[in-house]
Amino acid sequence: MAQQVSILIVDDEESVRDSLYNWFIDDGYDVDCAEDGKAALNKLESRDFDIVLADIKMPGIDGMELHKRVKALSREPVFIIMTAFASVDTAVQALKNGAYDYVTKPFDPDDLSHLIRNAAKQVQLEAENLNLKESISSLADVEDIIGESEALQKVLKDVEHIAQSSSSVIITGESGTGKELIARAIHSNSSRRYFPLISVHCGALTESLLESELFGHERGAFTGASFTRKGRFEMADGGTIFLDEIATISPKMQVELLRVLETKSFMRVGGNKELSSDFRVICATNRDLKAMVQTGTFREDLYYRLNVLNIKVPPLRERKEDIPLLVNHFIGKYCKSMSREKIVIEPAAMRYLANLDFPGNVRELENMIERAIVVGNGREVRLRDLPLGKEAINSSVESLDELEKKHIVKILDKYHWNISRSARALGVDRATLYNKIRKYELKEE
Amino acid sequence: MRTKKILIITCGKFEKKTTNHVRESVTRVLGLATDLKECSLDVSEFYHPARRQYNADRLLETMSARAPVEYMKCMSLFRGDLFIPILTYIFGQAQLNGRIGIASPYRLRNELYGLKEDNNLMLERFSKVVLHELGHTFGLIHCKNTLCIMRSSTYMEDLDQKNTEFCRQCSEKLQVELDKVLHKH
């Protein structure tokens, strides 16, 4: 570390500059000197220094003024003030202005060594901190958002801009397009990234469960409430709350949600204490909320409260050029999770996939790849490992909706209408399966 | 033509025992022969009355001008308390990658710190300071190894803790520098 730390010595006395220069050079630091504040600023503009050791009394720009100007630089060095006058007032002022430390000339050699060693440690810690922050945000952001298509790049650009604000966001897009991944990307690129991202799948919960889930409940608030429980709004304090399937919430919950969004305060179910929380709301839906507003099934005021910013995630059929990248990504992902060597895909299988419309979007493609790897020969993904392809060809005379409906009925019957198992088999979540059941008006016979 | 020797220059009265110890240490650790020379420099002009110390920067500069060119390195020994403007005291200093170094035993005596006199310990410390400064003249910088002679020492305890030898890493660097210098000669 010592070899990498750079020090700029600023003093109008040549002997001081030379002494310090020799002392620090012997310690292996990268050292430069400036005879006054102006020369120091010139040097600081042309290159970065980790530590600036400046005399407080200099002609022209003095040490305190130099410190003020140094603070305006894009990369602020650790600033240490030197003075021949041991004045408590100037020491306090220097520290108040943000100087790292204050030393009185002449120094005890041991004090000087310790001072610089500690300052170097500070530089090292700041650099480490920065690297860690960068690595955290790069790890958490868009790892699973794969694609180079123009449509997806536009979405990512929107994510970048939207992440900078704290306004509510609505993410729209068909089921399986990756709306939750987009919400995660917005959160992990925002200033709230060091606080939690709390996800709530509104479609999977009944009205009373959703209320308890969002607002929390006090002990004894209802049968089975044996403990006080924090709600999701409380948990999201400082961070982001992601409300998936927002279109499915009941009119009563729409009113409650609007109130929370307006006041950022709420009460736990069964509680009488007003709680407040600072969160950002990101919602997602595969429905047309505006149309729902017109038909009166979604509150207009809530719609406008939520729809400050919006992102539309394109369906996979509108970015087919991304299919090969996604296929390779998922092959890599599942081979890794199954502790296998990465396998390849037969060109015919890739061609076939690249031409599919994927009504279930990326999720459907991902499930197809996972299945193909499981049933395949372990060396490559072959066309014959993609059974859905066969069905799709056979049913080419039917609409995709018809095909989807038939497949869902088949799976539901297979699992005796067990929603969890059927959803798992279909590779969708329970909320989506419920939506499909509603959409196709399916009933157990 | 330069000799492959190091010149030890004494400024002021030094006991033979002291100079012998320094010379033996240099020869043993660096493997180089030494010559001894007395210098009649008037050090009063380097004296700072307010600090009651001698300005080591100016002494080094003066000795640099006086050092005989035929010697590979020259080490000047002073009896007085040395300082540089920015530091309250120093044990010695040298030109990094240069030819000249200076050292003083003034602050190496136990009595200065209220401890019992120990002349042998003082000689050991002084030889360490001389070898440390000579190390700088061969381009070595401070070492992090607590036992290495190139470890920065600002207190007596630091000096006593380290060995009168270079660590493996510094020895290797030193050997490269010595080979260069000897080859040139």
Side-chain angles (χ1 to χ4, degrees), chain B:
Chain B
M1 180 73 178
R2 277 185 187 163
T3 67
K4 295 170 188 175
K5 285 182 176 176
I6 288 178
L7 179 63
I8 308 289
I9 306 169
T10 54
C11 301
K13 193 169 167 52
F14 277 87
E15 285 182 16
K16 198 167 182 189
K17 195 178 170 188
T18 307
T19 51
N20 280 348
H21 195 283
V22 168
R23 294 178 68 185
E24 280 162 19
S25 299
V26 170
T27 304
R28 180 172 53 80
V29 178
L30 293 176
L32 295 169
T34 60
D35 278 345
L36 182 69
K37 192 182 161 189
E38 280 183 27
C39 169
S40 56
L41 180 72
D42 176 13
V43 291
S44 63
E45 61 177 291
F46 304 98
Y47 188 69
H48 192 296
R51 296 181 65 152
R52 289 193 270 180
Q53 288 176 304
Y54 294 88
N55 189 325
D57 281 346
R58 290 188 52 218
L59 279 170
L60 191 69
E61 204 181 305
T62 305
M63 294 315 292
S64 177
R66 288 177 167 227
V69 289
E70 63 269 29
Y71 286 93
M72 189 195 288
K73 310 280 177 191
C74 298
M75 173 58 63
S76 303
L77 312 183
F78 293 90
R79 293 180 56 80
D81 189 12
L82 303 178
F83 81 96
I84 57 173
I86 200 67
L87 295 178
T88 46
Y89 66 88
I90 58 167
F91 299 145
Q93 74 168 348
Q95 299 168 330
L96 189 68
N97 269 320
R99 286 182 59 232
I100 317 297
I102 61 173
S104 162
Y106 184 87
R107 287 185 178 252
L108 307 179
R109 295 174 292 122
N110 266 358
E111 310 86 276
L112 200 73
Y113 309 95
L115 299 169
K116 195 181 163 194
E117 186 182 338
D118 187 338
N119 206 40
N120 287 336
L121 189 58
M122 190 277 287
L123 289 177
E124 198 61 42
R125 289 168 180 166
F126 192 38
S127 293
K128 284 178 184 175
V129 172
V130 168
L131 280 165
H132 178 98
E133 298 309 334
L134 280 172
H136 283 318
T137 64
F138 282 106
L140 298 184
I141 58 170
H142 288 154
C143 177
K144 286 181 178 168
N145 185 331
T146 44
L147 300 178
C148 176
I149 202 149
M150 289 314 294
R151 169 88 175 179
S152 168
S153 311
T154 48
Y155 283 142
M156 214 53 50
E157 291 82 350
D158 301 334
L159 269 177
D160 291 342
Q161 191 184 29
K162 61 191 189 183
N163 295 330
T164 316
E165 55 194 40
F166 295 92
C167 69
R168 197 173 145 193
Q169 215 175 358
C170 288
S171 291
E172 283 169 5
K173 284 184 203 162
L174 180 70
Q175 198 52 54
V176 172
E177 290 305 312
L178 272 171
D179 288 346
K180 270 193 227 165
V181 176
L182 293 174
H183 181 70
K184 213 192 282 179
H185 290 172

Side-chain angles (χ1 to χ4, degrees), chain A residues 22-154:
Chain A
N22 292 330
W23 184 263
F24 293 135
I25 281 284
D26 285 352
D27 268 335
Y29 294 109
D30 169 16
V31 196
D32 201 354
C33 297
E35 66 276 17
D36 55 30
K38 196 177 166 196
L41 284 170
N42 285 338
K43 293 204 172 194
L44 284 159
E45 271 165 21
S46 62
R47 63 162 285 200
D48 285 338
F49 284 93
D50 296 313
I51 300 168
V52 173
L53 195 62
D55 191 19
I56 204 161
K57 276 206 151 197
M58 288 185 291
I61 300 170
D62 67 8
M64 300 290 257
E65 178 60 28
L66 176 65
H67 182 214
K68 272 186 205 163
R69 298 202 190 180
V70 162
K71 278 162 78 179
L73 296 173
S74 57
R75 186 175 173 268
E76 192 186 337
V78 170
F79 202 93
I80 299 170
I81 292 270
M82 301 184 285
T83 179
F85 307 96
S87 146
V88 175
D89 287 347
T90 41
V92 170
Q93 195 52 51
L95 295 175
K96 268 186 184 169
N97 290 346
Y100 174 76
D101 213 334
Y102 174 95
V103 283
T104 310
K105 290 192 277 186
F107 319 119
D108 183 283
D110 206 47
D111 290 348
L112 183 63
S113 292
H114 274 123
L115 180 69
I116 296 299
R117 225 176 291 147
N118 288 342
K121 193 85 189 161
Q122 169 93 354
V123 170
Q124 188 185 9
L125 287 173
E126 276 174 14
E128 274 177 19
N129 189 15
L130 198 69
N131 286 341
L132 282 172
K133 278 184 180 173
E134 277 171 4
S135 65
I136 287 168
S137 48
S138 64
L139 269 179
D141 56 11
V142 289
E143 195 188 31
D144 270 341
I145 304 176
I146 307 294
E148 290 171 353
S149 62
E150 205 178 312
L152 188 71
Q153 290 309 312
K154 185 188 171 298

